[in-house]
Amino acid sequence: MSSRDSILQALRSAQHSSQAPEVEHPGSFEQAHLFDDPVEQFLESVKVVAGTTVTCADWKECAQHIENHELFQEAKVLCNLEPKLSFSAPNNGTDQEWVEMHEKDDPHSFEKVDLCIMNGQFGVAENGAIWIDNRFVAQQAILFLTQHLMLTVQRQEIVQNLHQAYSRLSFDSIYYGCFISGPSKTADIEQSLVIGAHGPRSLTVYLIG
Amino acid sequence: MTEAAIQSNHPQQAEAFLKDLKRARWHDQALWFMREKRDKGVLGLKEWEALREHASRIKMHTLSHLPKYLEQFESEASKRGIQVHWAKDGDEHNRIIHHILSQHNVKRVVKSKSMLTEECHLNDYLIEKGMEVVDTDLGERIVQLANEPPSHIVIPAIHKNRQEIGELFHQKLNTPKGETDPTRLTGAARMHLREKFVQADAGITGVNFAIASTGGFVVCTNEGNADLGTSLPPLHIAAMGLEKLVPTPEDLSVFLRLLARSATGQPVTSYSSHFLGPRPDTEMHVVIVDNGRTGHYAQAEFRRSLSCIRCGACLNTCPVYRRSGGYSYGYTIPGPIGTTLAPHRSLEKFHTLPFASSLCGSCSNVCPVKINLHEQILLWRQKLYNAGIVSPAKRLALGGMSKMFTFPGVYTLGGNVFRGVMSLIPGNVIAKITGAWGKQRDLPPIPKESFRQQYKKMKGHE
């Protein structure tokens, strides 16, 4: 018998012999506390997880803020995955290199990226997490290779908590998705928090609208 | 040093750990700090207790329908192009993974944290076959460079201080002698591991949660190492214990809210990565592993411990773990959860573990999925007694006490004799009689009269 069949058979016979009662699924969790102002809470949560927040009235203001950001000005290799943002690049000096992303790209080609800008789908007030998936980033490696990450989220796209978050998610046509909450971090050496473990050394969240 | 090399003898190992009292105290406080962070994280959530109850029920429901959900997961994952394998034990798990890797001509593997692959000793197996295997979680890389197993399931190098890590990195990663700053040491590891990520031919991860209804699985990290390790090479293999399932994506919301808060007090890990299929032109494999879990599952009274989500909260709160260190358990998973899991492997080998507990119940109180840990530990003690695997001294004491409590006359007489005799014996002799218990404790002063005698007297005064 294959390992598969013997494992399933062992479990089934244990099910019958143990006579443990069947337990009902409890359904959706309905007791979550709701925030009065989820947007405020979202901004607060991003700070708690060591991210930085910037609120902008519109996309134009956001683009201007990014262009004036020292991370943008110091970046040598940049990638913009947010179609609503356009920059007057090359911004200052001619040594800035912009990379584009195509589905067939070798993910290793993004190794030298200093700054990546991407659109988050929505944000979660309780924990500052932002959902991204492969429909908007064909090679997710860039989100972890980049030295710094900037994510945009629209004000009307903030949900209260993870329960609301999953109720709007569908996994039907995606192969990769991630909740990103703050920059990469570790506390594995004597529990001292260090920002920038393997992935981005910083996360800047732009709230639009 | 592998698990097999350590004979599990908790009191002996704990004694060795406690020789350096200063370090033991430091370890105790470091873990308590984790517990305090957890408390702060939990206090922020008014619905915490309801959420724990909900999670517990989802897990119990899933376990009671486990074969059905496993089949559903297999079928949905296959539809997504994920190749599913089944391994009855650690050896088969290692062989399957090695086979996939060699089919792809893999020389270099990067791994993110997986206690299951620790349990199966995958690294040793692959390294022996000539592959380079690099653990990429910082704590795991530290213990790998030191040739040690993890001593904690969330913070693997918690037993090492910054001076030791600095010296280790100086020797292995060429950092300046005397460098002990965590930021600079982490920076050095980042550079070293970045190179490994870029060169890797394959990435191996564990699985935090597998989703039955859609296929796919979730891996949670703070460092981003699971994502870097799997988004660059063309091959991703995930090792998954067969108990890791949740029925639907909606259920993930409950567990992701509990996991990081219980582990470190964070509202969620930096990355909750959903691997739902291979990237174009790459392969994704999941190996579902039994390795003793079906036997565990068959014991209904212990089944709930298969709900564990490996947050580590029970380790951090445990007065015994904090004061004896992860290695004292001699099992891949230490602390209260390890104590309940290890005897399923071998009651004989791990017979000291169920006694490595004060039965205070703190573990059960912090457990995000409400596993009745201390009750299971007590159950193991009963099993050990019934199987005749307790030390003669313990057996005699327990047997004697059982008789004494059954006959009130014997109890009264015993008490009188005990009080008389104990007052005559010098303290250092008593310490010998009380064994491990008496090593750092004195007996309280022996009262002159029994409670009943005192009660009678007081009643007479009324």
Side-chain angles (χ1 to χ4, degrees), chain A residues 3 28 166 171 176-177 188 199, chain B residues 80 92 139 190 227 250 270 274:
Chain A
S3 293
S28 303
Y166 278 99
F171 295 164
Y176 175 82
D188 273 350
Chain B
R80 292 176 168 275
E92 189 175 11
R190 176 188 170 98
D227 294 282
E250 192 188 8
S270 301
H274 297 56

Side-chain angles (χ1 to χ4, degrees), chain B residues 256-291:
Chain B
L256 290 185
R257 295 187 85 196
L258 291 164
L259 178 61
R261 285 181 173 99
S262 298
T264 61
Q266 292 169 259
V268 72
T269 50
S270 301
Y271 304 107
S272 308
S273 310
H274 297 56
F275 296 101
L276 304 165
R279 284 175 287 123
D281 307 320
T282 71
E283 280 186 26
M284 183 179 280
H285 298 255
V286 173
V287 186
I288 300 174
V289 184
D290 178 349
N291 204 29

Side-chain angles (χ1 to χ4, degrees), chain B residues 101-172:
Chain B
L101 293 172
S102 31
Q103 275 186 327
H104 287 79
N105 248 329
V106 168
K107 300 273 182 293
R108 297 183 172 116
V109 182
V110 284
K111 261 182 71 209
S112 73
K113 193 156 61 199
S114 150
M115 293 314 294
L116 176 59
T117 60
E118 292 285 341
E119 175 188 314
C120 300
H121 305 298
L122 177 69
N123 287 16
D124 294 343
Y125 186 89
L126 295 180
I127 289 166
E128 200 170 291
K129 303 270 182 194
M131 292 178 184
E132 180 190 81
V133 184
V134 175
D135 280 318
T136 58
D137 170 81
L138 177 60
E140 279 223 310
R141 186 60 181 150
I142 291 168
V143 292
Q144 189 184 33
L145 287 173
N147 198 24
E148 293 171 4
S151 74
H152 187 288
I153 59 176
V154 174
I155 29 178
I158 187 67
H159 59 289
K160 286 197 173 314
N161 62 32
R162 65 181 72 191
Q163 286 78 16
E164 290 164 314
I165 296 167
E167 182 55 30
L168 182 71
F169 278 20
H170 171 62
Q171 285 169 22
K172 307 276 183 176

Side-chain angles (χ1 to χ4, degrees), chain B residues 291-320:
Chain B
N291 204 29
R293 285 163 177 76
T294 49
H296 178 173
Y297 183 81
Q299 293 178 271
E301 71 271 41
F302 288 110
R303 192 176 283 175
R304 281 178 77 175
S305 49
L306 287 169
S307 303
C308 176
I309 58 172
R310 303 287 190 265
C311 68
C314 64
L315 281 63
N316 304 339
T317 200
C318 178
V320 176

Side-chain angles (χ1 to χ4, degrees), chain A residues 86-160:
Chain A
S86 56
F87 302 102
S88 47
N91 187 44
N92 59 330
T94 50
D95 57 345
Q96 279 196 328
E97 180 194 344
W98 287 82
V99 292
E100 289 187 6
M101 180 172 286
H102 311 282
E103 198 174 306
K104 295 282 172 189
D105 284 340
D106 175 1
H108 294 83
S109 63
F110 305 106
E111 195 192 335
K112 302 285 180 219
V113 171
D114 297 306
L115 176 64
C116 175
I117 303 155
M118 186 185 170
N119 48 324
Q121 292 302 291
F122 62 89
V124 186
E126 70 160 317
N127 56 24
I130 296 167
W131 177 259
I132 59 94
D133 64 58
N134 68 277
R135 286 171 299 169
F136 305 94
V137 54
Q139 296 292 348
Q140 72 260 25
I142 193 170
L143 304 175
F144 303 91
L145 288 167
T146 184
Q147 297 294 323
H148 300 277
L149 182 62
M150 291 178 173
L151 291 175
T152 61
V153 186
Q154 290 181 263
R155 181 175 285 268
Q156 67 270 25
E157 303 291 338
I158 302 297
V159 300
Q160 288 270 353

Side-chain angles (χ1 to χ4, degrees), chain B residues 150-366:
Chain B
S151 74
H152 187 288
I153 59 176
V154 174
I155 29 178
I158 187 67
H159 59 289
K160 286 197 173 314
N161 62 32
R162 65 181 72 191
Q163 286 78 16
E164 290 164 314
I165 296 167
E167 182 55 30
L168 182 71
F169 278 20
H170 171 62
Q171 285 169 22
K172 307 276 183 176
L173 305 183
N174 230 352
T175 53
K177 177 99 184 149
E179 180 62 81
T180 60
D181 178 61
T183 304
R184 283 197 285 271
L185 292 174
T186 303
R190 176 188 170 98
M191 302 242 297
H192 157 71
L193 287 167
R194 188 51 83 101
E195 204 179 301
K196 300 291 180 192
F197 282 123
V198 171
Q199 293 171 344
D201 307 311
I204 295 177
T205 68
V207 168
N208 285 96
F209 306 101
I211 317 152
S213 69
T214 63
F217 55 93
V218 175
V219 179
C220 305
T221 76
N222 279 322
E223 300 182 6
N225 53 321
D227 294 282
L228 261 182
T230 56
S231 60
L232 289 165
L235 174 61
H236 175 179
I237 305 173
M240 162 189 158
L242 55 77
E243 77 281 20
K244 290 285 173 190
L245 284 167
V246 297
T248 66
E250 192 188 8
D251 297 318
L252 287 171
S253 66
V254 174
F255 293 100
L256 290 185
R257 295 187 85 196
L258 291 164
L259 178 61
R261 285 181 173 99
S262 298
T264 61
Q266 292 169 259
V268 72
T269 50
S270 301
Y271 304 107
S272 308
S273 310
H274 297 56
F275 296 101
L276 304 165
R279 284 175 287 123
D281 307 320
T282 71
E283 280 186 26
M284 183 179 280
H285 298 255
V286 173
V287 186
I288 300 174
V289 184
D290 178 349
N291 204 29
R293 285 163 177 76
T294 49
H296 178 173
Y297 183 81
Q299 293 178 271
E301 71 271 41
F302 288 110
R303 192 176 283 175
R304 281 178 77 175
S305 49
L306 287 169
S307 303
C308 176
I309 58 172
R310 303 287 190 265
C311 68
C314 64
L315 281 63
N316 304 339
T317 200
C318 178
V320 176
Y321 173 85
R322 283 189 274 118
R323 291 172 179 83
S324 59
Y327 295 153
S328 63
Y329 293 79
Y331 183 60
T332 315
I333 297 178
I337 184 64
T339 296
T340 62
L341 295 176
H344 289 287
R345 314 251 149 219
S346 161
L347 197 53
E348 291 251 308
K349 183 179 174 187
F350 297 107
H351 73 276
T352 62
L353 293 192
F355 295 97
S357 166
S358 66
L359 298 182
C360 67
S362 183
C363 46
S364 307
N365 288 331
V366 298

